[in-house]
Each structure stands twice: as C-alpha cells, then as structure tokens.
Amino acid sequence: MGFDTPATAALWFLIFAAPICLWVAWSDLRSMKIPNKAVIALVCVYLAVGIAVLPLPDYLWRLSHLAALLLVGIGANAAGLMGAGDAKFIAAAGPFVALGDASAVMLLLAGVLLAAFATHRLARMSPLRRLAPGWASWHSGRRFPMGLALGPALALYLALAALHGA
C-alpha cells in the first residue's frame, strides 16, 4: 500500500502535527471542544513546513483542500451533523492529505472512529473514568468527542505515509 504524499514530507509534517493531534484528542475528551488555537497551530504547521517539503504547485493545490473542506464543514455544522471545532479541524487537516490519498484516509478514519468510539464508551462505563472525573465527554450523553478520532487519524495517516509514501 503506497501513499501519494512524499514520505519525507509526511515525516516532517508528523513531527510537528502529532503533538497538535494529541492536544485535540485530549481537549475534546476533557471539554468536548477543539480549541481554535489547535486548529490555527495545525494550519501554521502546514504553511511553514509544507512550503519547505512540497513542490510549490502541490503546496498551493493542497491549500484549496482547506477552503473546500471548510465550506463543507460549515454546511455540516449548520445542519447539525458535526460540531464547529470538528469542522474546523477537518479543514485544517485537509492540506496534509494528498488528493490521491483521500479514499485511503476515509477508510483509515472509519477504522479509527470505530476504535475510538468503542474505547470511549467502554472507558466511560469502567472505573478508568475515575482517573479524569471532570471530563465533559463522560457526561455528554449520546455526543461523542470526534477529536478523539480526528487527531489520531491524521497522525496515523502521516505516520503511514512517512513509511509508505511516494
């Protein structure tokens, strides 16, 4: 299995994006919110690292992913399908994904989402919950902290692309 993102670019992206991805997962678990600072930091990583590791046409084309995904996300948020933070994070993550890798990333996200959902629900019902009693996601009813899946999915994609990229 190969990815269209160059392996070297994915590795550099991973180094700087992975901590942000973890921050997003932790923050969404804790407060059911993805901070705007995390989204802005992710965009800044792409802007600063991407210009150094991608050919200019690819770098600019991938910026269009941000705009397109932000428009779709705003619509999905307005329709009540996802939170605003989720929509903004997806848009910020968009430039990191090569267009040719989009279907693989969707499959990867589906798997990470299933694992994250099952793990969250099991932890919520277990004594592990006492380790972080104040987390909003324990008391969110049917709502799920999508950052728990979105952040790790981006980090996992970048790690796989670093290993199997173009």
Side-chain angles (χ1 to χ4, degrees), residues 73-102:
I74 288 170
N77 175 253
L81 300 174
M82 71 173 56
D86 303 331
K88 290 182 282 188
F89 181 83
I90 290 168
F96 292 89
V97 178
L99 190 56
D101 296 342

PDB file of all heavy atoms in Angstrom, residues 73-102:
ATOM      1  N   GLY A  73     -17.663  21.756   5.846  1.00  0.00           N
ATOM      2  CA  GLY A  73     -17.806  21.671   7.293  1.00  0.00           C
ATOM      3  C   GLY A  73     -18.771  22.688   7.861  1.00  0.00           C
ATOM      4  O   GLY A  73     -19.544  22.386   8.774  1.00  0.00           O
ATOM      5  N   ILE A  74     -18.752  23.898   7.327  1.00  0.00           N
ATOM      6  CA  ILE A  74     -19.701  24.928   7.774  1.00  0.00           C
ATOM      7  C   ILE A  74     -21.124  24.464   7.481  1.00  0.00           C
ATOM      8  O   ILE A  74     -22.022  24.607   8.316  1.00  0.00           O
ATOM      9  CB  ILE A  74     -19.391  26.287   7.110  1.00  0.00           C
ATOM     10  CG1 ILE A  74     -18.098  26.874   7.707  1.00  0.00           C
ATOM     11  CG2 ILE A  74     -20.551  27.258   7.280  1.00  0.00           C
ATOM     12  CD1 ILE A  74     -17.568  28.081   6.952  1.00  0.00           C
ATOM     13  N   GLY A  75     -21.319  23.895   6.304  1.00  0.00           N
ATOM     14  CA  GLY A  75     -22.639  23.371   5.956  1.00  0.00           C
ATOM     15  C   GLY A  75     -23.051  22.226   6.869  1.00  0.00           C
ATOM     16  O   GLY A  75     -24.195  22.171   7.335  1.00  0.00           O
ATOM     17  N   ALA A  76     -22.127  21.310   7.144  1.00  0.00           N
ATOM     18  CA  ALA A  76     -22.430  20.178   8.028  1.00  0.00           C
ATOM     19  C   ALA A  76     -22.713  20.647   9.447  1.00  0.00           C
ATOM     20  O   ALA A  76     -23.610  20.119  10.116  1.00  0.00           O
ATOM     21  CB  ALA A  76     -21.273  19.185   8.019  1.00  0.00           C
ATOM     22  N   ASN A  77     -21.991  21.658   9.894  1.00  0.00           N
ATOM     23  CA  ASN A  77     -22.249  22.204  11.224  1.00  0.00           C
ATOM     24  C   ASN A  77     -23.611  22.887  11.272  1.00  0.00           C
ATOM     25  O   ASN A  77     -24.374  22.700  12.225  1.00  0.00           O
ATOM     26  CB  ASN A  77     -21.133  23.181  11.619  1.00  0.00           C
ATOM     27  CG  ASN A  77     -21.411  23.865  12.941  1.00  0.00           C
ATOM     28  OD1 ASN A  77     -21.739  25.048  12.981  1.00  0.00           O
ATOM     29  ND2 ASN A  77     -21.291  23.118  14.025  1.00  0.00           N
ATOM     30  N   ALA A  78     -23.935  23.638  10.250  1.00  0.00           N
ATOM     31  CA  ALA A  78     -25.226  24.322  10.203  1.00  0.00           C
ATOM     32  C   ALA A  78     -26.380  23.325  10.180  1.00  0.00           C
ATOM     33  O   ALA A  78     -27.454  23.595  10.742  1.00  0.00           O
ATOM     34  CB  ALA A  78     -25.300  25.239   8.986  1.00  0.00           C
ATOM     35  N   ALA A  79     -26.146  22.173   9.570  1.00  0.00           N
ATOM     36  CA  ALA A  79     -27.176  21.132   9.517  1.00  0.00           C
ATOM     37  C   ALA A  79     -27.205  20.290  10.791  1.00  0.00           C
ATOM     38  O   ALA A  79     -28.023  19.374  10.905  1.00  0.00           O
ATOM     39  CB  ALA A  79     -26.936  20.234   8.304  1.00  0.00           C
ATOM     40  N   GLY A  80     -26.315  20.584  11.732  1.00  0.00           N
ATOM     41  CA  GLY A  80     -26.280  19.845  12.991  1.00  0.00           C
ATOM     42  C   GLY A  80     -25.609  18.487  12.898  1.00  0.00           C
ATOM     43  O   GLY A  80     -25.788  17.643  13.765  1.00  0.00           O
ATOM     44  N   LEU A  81     -24.818  18.271  11.848  1.00  0.00           N
ATOM     45  CA  LEU A  81     -24.172  16.972  11.646  1.00  0.00           C
ATOM     46  C   LEU A  81     -22.847  16.835  12.385  1.00  0.00           C
ATOM     47  O   LEU A  81     -22.385  15.724  12.621  1.00  0.00           O
ATOM     48  CB  LEU A  81     -23.952  16.720  10.154  1.00  0.00           C
ATOM     49  CG  LEU A  81     -25.221  16.696   9.300  1.00  0.00           C
ATOM     50  CD1 LEU A  81     -24.872  16.583   7.825  1.00  0.00           C
ATOM     51  CD2 LEU A  81     -26.122  15.542   9.740  1.00  0.00           C
ATOM     52  N   MET A  82     -22.223  17.972  12.707  1.00  0.00           N
ATOM     53  CA  MET A  82     -20.950  17.932  13.431  1.00  0.00           C
ATOM     54  C   MET A  82     -20.733  19.252  14.137  1.00  0.00           C
ATOM     55  O   MET A  82     -21.370  20.260  13.794  1.00  0.00           O
ATOM     56  CB  MET A  82     -19.770  17.629  12.499  1.00  0.00           C
ATOM     57  CG  MET A  82     -19.407  18.739  11.552  1.00  0.00           C
ATOM     58  SD  MET A  82     -17.892  18.467  10.602  1.00  0.00           S
ATOM     59  CE  MET A  82     -18.207  16.943   9.798  1.00  0.00           C
ATOM     60  N   GLY A  83     -19.841  19.227  15.115  1.00  0.00           N
ATOM     61  CA  GLY A  83     -19.511  20.435  15.840  1.00  0.00           C
ATOM     62  C   GLY A  83     -18.629  21.361  15.012  1.00  0.00           C
ATOM     63  O   GLY A  83     -17.957  20.933  14.071  1.00  0.00           O
ATOM     64  N   ALA A  84     -18.622  22.620  15.396  1.00  0.00           N
ATOM     65  CA  ALA A  84     -17.815  23.602  14.668  1.00  0.00           C
ATOM     66  C   ALA A  84     -16.330  23.284  14.780  1.00  0.00           C
ATOM     67  O   ALA A  84     -15.577  23.431  13.811  1.00  0.00           O
ATOM     68  CB  ALA A  84     -18.107  25.007  15.196  1.00  0.00           C
ATOM     69  N   GLY A  85     -15.887  22.855  15.949  1.00  0.00           N
ATOM     70  CA  GLY A  85     -14.478  22.507  16.125  1.00  0.00           C
ATOM     71  C   GLY A  85     -14.069  21.347  15.246  1.00  0.00           C
ATOM     72  O   GLY A  85     -12.977  21.343  14.675  1.00  0.00           O
ATOM     73  N   ASP A  86     -14.950  20.352  15.136  1.00  0.00           N
ATOM     74  CA  ASP A  86     -14.678  19.207  14.260  1.00  0.00           C
ATOM     75  C   ASP A  86     -14.526  19.676  12.816  1.00  0.00           C
ATOM     76  O   ASP A  86     -13.595  19.274  12.110  1.00  0.00           O
ATOM     77  CB  ASP A  86     -15.799  18.172  14.337  1.00  0.00           C
ATOM     78  CG  ASP A  86     -16.054  17.673  15.748  1.00  0.00           C
ATOM     79  OD1 ASP A  86     -15.104  17.665  16.555  1.00  0.00           O
ATOM     80  OD2 ASP A  86     -17.203  17.287  16.030  1.00  0.00           O
ATOM     81  N   ALA A  87     -15.430  20.542  12.382  1.00  0.00           N
ATOM     82  CA  ALA A  87     -15.401  21.052  11.009  1.00  0.00           C
ATOM     83  C   ALA A  87     -14.117  21.830  10.749  1.00  0.00           C
ATOM     84  O   ALA A  87     -13.474  21.668   9.698  1.00  0.00           O
ATOM     85  CB  ALA A  87     -16.621  21.929  10.736  1.00  0.00           C
ATOM     86  N   LYS A  88     -13.719  22.665  11.710  1.00  0.00           N
ATOM     87  CA  LYS A  88     -12.502  23.459  11.535  1.00  0.00           C
ATOM     88  C   LYS A  88     -11.258  22.575  11.539  1.00  0.00           C
ATOM     89  O   LYS A  88     -10.333  22.803  10.756  1.00  0.00           O
ATOM     90  CB  LYS A  88     -12.413  24.530  12.617  1.00  0.00           C
ATOM     91  CG  LYS A  88     -13.462  25.632  12.445  1.00  0.00           C
ATOM     92  CD  LYS A  88     -13.337  26.706  13.494  1.00  0.00           C
ATOM     93  CE  LYS A  88     -13.945  26.223  14.793  1.00  0.00           C
ATOM     94  NZ  LYS A  88     -14.023  27.278  15.813  1.00  0.00           N
ATOM     95  N   PHE A  89     -11.239  21.559  12.402  1.00  0.00           N
ATOM     96  CA  PHE A  89     -10.076  20.662  12.430  1.00  0.00           C
ATOM     97  C   PHE A  89      -9.960  19.890  11.117  1.00  0.00           C
ATOM     98  O   PHE A  89      -8.857  19.746  10.571  1.00  0.00           O
ATOM     99  CB  PHE A  89     -10.139  19.689  13.609  1.00  0.00           C
ATOM    100  CG  PHE A  89      -8.936  18.781  13.659  1.00  0.00           C
ATOM    101  CD1 PHE A  89      -7.763  19.209  14.242  1.00  0.00           C
ATOM    102  CD2 PHE A  89      -8.977  17.520  13.091  1.00  0.00           C
ATOM    103  CE1 PHE A  89      -6.633  18.396  14.258  1.00  0.00           C
ATOM    104  CE2 PHE A  89      -7.859  16.693  13.103  1.00  0.00           C
ATOM    105  CZ  PHE A  89      -6.678  17.140  13.693  1.00  0.00           C
ATOM    106  N   ILE A  90     -11.069  19.394  10.611  1.00  0.00           N
ATOM    107  CA  ILE A  90     -11.044  18.666   9.340  1.00  0.00           C
ATOM    108  C   ILE A  90     -10.497  19.564   8.229  1.00  0.00           C
ATOM    109  O   ILE A  90      -9.678  19.136   7.416  1.00  0.00           O
ATOM    110  CB  ILE A  90     -12.442  18.108   8.993  1.00  0.00           C
ATOM    111  CG1 ILE A  90     -12.805  16.976   9.957  1.00  0.00           C
ATOM    112  CG2 ILE A  90     -12.516  17.652   7.544  1.00  0.00           C
ATOM    113  CD1 ILE A  90     -14.259  16.551   9.903  1.00  0.00           C
ATOM    114  N   ALA A  91     -10.941  20.822   8.206  1.00  0.00           N
ATOM    115  CA  ALA A  91     -10.448  21.760   7.199  1.00  0.00           C
ATOM    116  C   ALA A  91      -8.948  21.997   7.358  1.00  0.00           C
ATOM    117  O   ALA A  91      -8.200  21.989   6.379  1.00  0.00           O
ATOM    118  CB  ALA A  91     -11.211  23.080   7.288  1.00  0.00           C
ATOM    119  N   ALA A  92      -8.497  22.163   8.597  1.00  0.00           N
ATOM    120  CA  ALA A  92      -7.074  22.402   8.848  1.00  0.00           C
ATOM    121  C   ALA A  92      -6.232  21.180   8.504  1.00  0.00           C
ATOM    122  O   ALA A  92      -5.075  21.306   8.082  1.00  0.00           O
ATOM    123  CB  ALA A  92      -6.859  22.792  10.314  1.00  0.00           C
ATOM    124  N   ALA A  93      -6.795  19.990   8.662  1.00  0.00           N
ATOM    125  CA  ALA A  93      -6.076  18.752   8.344  1.00  0.00           C
ATOM    126  C   ALA A  93      -6.049  18.487   6.839  1.00  0.00           C
ATOM    127  O   ALA A  93      -5.167  17.768   6.354  1.00  0.00           O
ATOM    128  CB  ALA A  93      -6.728  17.570   9.068  1.00  0.00           C
ATOM    129  N   GLY A  94      -6.974  19.054   6.115  1.00  0.00           N
ATOM    130  CA  GLY A  94      -7.100  18.797   4.680  1.00  0.00           C
ATOM    131  C   GLY A  94      -5.831  18.967   3.872  1.00  0.00           C
ATOM    132  O   GLY A  94      -5.500  18.098   3.050  1.00  0.00           O
ATOM    133  N   PRO A  95      -5.072  20.040   4.059  1.00  0.00           N
ATOM    134  CA  PRO A  95      -3.862  20.215   3.250  1.00  0.00           C
ATOM    135  C   PRO A  95      -2.781  19.154   3.475  1.00  0.00           C
ATOM    136  O   PRO A  95      -1.922  18.955   2.621  1.00  0.00           O
ATOM    137  CB  PRO A  95      -3.343  21.595   3.680  1.00  0.00           C
ATOM    138  CG  PRO A  95      -4.542  22.305   4.190  1.00  0.00           C
ATOM    139  CD  PRO A  95      -5.385  21.241   4.822  1.00  0.00           C
ATOM    140  N   PHE A  96      -2.819  18.475   4.583  1.00  0.00           N
ATOM    141  CA  PHE A  96      -1.828  17.439   4.866  1.00  0.00           C
ATOM    142  C   PHE A  96      -2.059  16.182   4.027  1.00  0.00           C
ATOM    143  O   PHE A  96      -1.164  15.355   3.896  1.00  0.00           O
ATOM    144  CB  PHE A  96      -1.846  17.060   6.354  1.00  0.00           C
ATOM    145  CG  PHE A  96      -1.352  18.155   7.255  1.00  0.00           C
ATOM    146  CD1 PHE A  96      -2.220  19.108   7.764  1.00  0.00           C
ATOM    147  CD2 PHE A  96      -0.011  18.244   7.605  1.00  0.00           C
ATOM    148  CE1 PHE A  96      -1.775  20.117   8.588  1.00  0.00           C
ATOM    149  CE2 PHE A  96       0.452  19.246   8.425  1.00  0.00           C
ATOM    150  CZ  PHE A  96      -0.429  20.195   8.920  1.00  0.00           C
ATOM    151  N   VAL A  97      -3.270  16.050   3.476  1.00  0.00           N
ATOM    152  CA  VAL A  97      -3.661  14.829   2.761  1.00  0.00           C
ATOM    153  C   VAL A  97      -3.596  15.069   1.254  1.00  0.00           C
ATOM    154  O   VAL A  97      -4.269  15.959   0.729  1.00  0.00           O
ATOM    155  CB  VAL A  97      -5.085  14.396   3.166  1.00  0.00           C
ATOM    156  CG1 VAL A  97      -5.516  13.150   2.398  1.00  0.00           C
ATOM    157  CG2 VAL A  97      -5.175  14.166   4.676  1.00  0.00           C
ATOM    158  N   ALA A  98      -2.799  14.257   0.566  1.00  0.00           N
ATOM    159  CA  ALA A  98      -2.762  14.320  -0.896  1.00  0.00           C
ATOM    160  C   ALA A  98      -4.118  13.871  -1.441  1.00  0.00           C
ATOM    161  O   ALA A  98      -4.746  12.963  -0.881  1.00  0.00           O
ATOM    162  CB  ALA A  98      -1.654  13.411  -1.430  1.00  0.00           C
ATOM    163  N   LEU A  99      -4.569  14.500  -2.504  1.00  0.00           N
ATOM    164  CA  LEU A  99      -5.875  14.166  -3.077  1.00  0.00           C
ATOM    165  C   LEU A  99      -5.969  12.683  -3.416  1.00  0.00           C
ATOM    166  O   LEU A  99      -6.995  12.042  -3.182  1.00  0.00           O
ATOM    167  CB  LEU A  99      -6.142  15.028  -4.312  1.00  0.00           C
ATOM    168  CG  LEU A  99      -7.549  14.969  -4.886  1.00  0.00           C
ATOM    169  CD1 LEU A  99      -8.591  15.339  -3.832  1.00  0.00           C
ATOM    170  CD2 LEU A  99      -7.676  15.882  -6.080  1.00  0.00           C
ATOM    171  N   GLY A 100      -4.890  12.097  -3.904  1.00  0.00           N
ATOM    172  CA  GLY A 100      -4.889  10.677  -4.246  1.00  0.00           C
ATOM    173  C   GLY A 100      -5.003   9.762  -3.046  1.00  0.00           C
ATOM    174  O   GLY A 100      -5.302   8.576  -3.179  1.00  0.00           O
ATOM    175  N   ASP A 101      -4.773  10.302  -1.854  1.00  0.00           N
ATOM    176  CA  ASP A 101      -4.863   9.517  -0.624  1.00  0.00           C
ATOM    177  C   ASP A 101      -6.208   9.666   0.077  1.00  0.00           C
ATOM    178  O   ASP A 101      -6.437   9.050   1.120  1.00  0.00           O
ATOM    179  CB  ASP A 101      -3.758   9.937   0.355  1.00  0.00           C
ATOM    180  CG  ASP A 101      -2.364   9.645  -0.146  1.00  0.00           C
ATOM    181  OD1 ASP A 101      -2.228   8.820  -1.071  1.00  0.00           O
ATOM    182  OD2 ASP A 101      -1.408  10.245   0.388  1.00  0.00           O
ATOM    183  N   ALA A 102      -7.100  10.467  -0.481  1.00  0.00           N
ATOM    184  CA  ALA A 102      -8.355  10.798   0.206  1.00  0.00           C
ATOM    185  C   ALA A 102      -9.187   9.561   0.547  1.00  0.00           C
ATOM    186  O   ALA A 102      -9.702   9.442   1.670  1.00  0.00           O
ATOM    187  CB  ALA A 102      -9.174  11.782  -0.625  1.00  0.00           C
TER     188      ALA A 102
END
